[in-house]
Amino acid sequence: MSKDPNSTQLAVVGGGPGGYPAAFLAADLGMQVTLIDLEPKPGGVCLYRGCIPSKTLLHVAKLLGETHQAAEWGIQFPDPEIDLDQLRARKEKVVQQLTGGLGQLVKQRKISYIQGRATFLDARTLKIQDSAGQEEILNFQHAIVATGSRPATLPNLSLESERLIDSTSALELAGIPKTMLVIGGGYIGLELGTVYAALGTQVSVVEMMPGLLPGADRDLVRVLSKRLEKLFHSMMLNTTVAEIGEVKGGIQVRLEGDVEEAEQTFEKILVAVGRKPNSSGLGLENTRVEINQRGFVKVNQQRQTAEPNIYAVGDIAGEPMLAHKATHEGLVAVEAIAGHKVAYEPHAIPAVVFTDPELAWCGLTETQAKQENISIEVARFPWGASGRATTLGRNDGLTKLIIEPQTERVLGVGLAGAGAGELIAEGVLAVEMAALASDLRLSIHPHPTLSETIMEAAEVFFGQSTHAYRPKRG
Ligand code: NAD
């Protein structure tokens, strides 16, 4: 093993949920590893400006929502007083605790961590520039590129204004605006819209497609839409923002589409129209790595690029742009580098939207089955029939199984309801293990829990659900 500080067996560029697990596994497998990131500690967008801060704030939103709901059960809370400084400090503390923990794990594993910006000079050499502008050269045997993504912008709506924000600045929580327009009814728009609405902002959402969360099954989205109709001031579908301009006290927008009031003014505008892979500015043109038209690095099943000693994982390597998919890819890449026989071939990548209620799905969706003409049967169990959901006052939920009719194999699972993000893990296991509907039906689920809805959905498939009368036709 080389002790030369200018050379490493594995250079991992990017310390997010794709890069740091890869670096950790490589070190566990005995490789000499250098992890490079712009931040002082690993974590990436997920920990610093994404999943973790947003979920910290969404937890607060949930708590606030529950205090309102408690009024229906005879418990009145006074209107909450929100100390924004303390809320921000708690969010920072969560981030510091987790990134600090990762910093410790880097040390324990004897990984060399470099804070700086890495650029490929060729397929064996990186130039790393630190924040003071100092440069160093690092030679590597293998590299994993895990540089993630950044918020997409709308070219026709460029405006130099503090009122126009993206997910990063929204999470900084500079204040609680009176009104906010969220452009994009996807993951980020709905999650951050939920946070601000719970804190007291009048939130409006504009989505260019006919429904929220395009691509997700409509029956799941309906469960969420019903609640969001009460939480949000308005949801304008089939609508886009044609023009924006700063006016006194806000930004005026001109909306186009299915909308009554075309000109509206908002204190803040949050743009959440997708993310773009960070594949440029890395010097990849100095290697044989290939990038497709959408900016994603082309990889094979081992996540190896066209340059055989360079791998790419996470958002930069294609959709879905999800932290857990990045981690899995990172581990596959490292095992491939270690010479193990592995491939990235998941049957079920879970998707979770952490709104209230949460939406979660994995494997084949009903929407996808229709698009691809795949013959399926769908078994739905409404949470109105769940004892646990009733105790929680959360009958607004749905569990569905997508089943292959001939084999009775579970191909996909969908959930809408409180805690759906936790429940979907059972669905992932079922799909990955090629479980049959009878496996889910015959596995004893604890009572009273929401997990029973998965078992009862399997019973619905057989027309024999205990709590939902759904006789099998024909
Ligand atoms: P998204 O793709 O989920 O949603 C963007 C939405 O904006 C879409 O519904 C799209 O139709 C709409 N849109 C695009 N252009 C528009 C326009 N001009 N006017 C109106 N609407 C427009 O993207 P996102 O919400 O920005 O999130 C980016 C990515 O980050 C997601 O794809 C997801 O992979 C990831 N993410 C995941 C989570 C999670 O796992 N819970 C949370 C946040 C972000």
Side-chain angles (χ1 to χ4, degrees), residues 51 54-55 149 152 154 156-157 183-191 206-209 211-214 239-241 271-275 315 319-324 351-354:
C51 331
S54 66
K55 266 80 251 179
S149 62
L154 292 170
N156 64 328
L157 305 180
I183 308 181
Y187 285 78
I188 295 181
L190 299 184
E191 289 186 359
V206 39
E207 166 57 54
M208 69 177 184
M209 301 299 280
L212 300 174
L213 293 162
T239 305
T240 53
V241 179
V271 180
V273 292
R275 295 183 65 88
D315 288 3
E319 289 183 327
M321 294 199 229
L322 298 171
H324 41 274
V352 181
V353 190
F354 290 91

Side-chain angles (χ1 to χ4, degrees), residues 449-471:
T449 65
L450 296 170
S451 72
E452 288 170 293
T453 65
I454 295 176
M455 177 181 69
E456 290 226 32
E459 291 178 352
V460 166
F461 174 72
F462 296 103
Q464 294 162 5
S465 159
T466 307
H467 297 100
Y469 183 61
R470 297 271 192 283

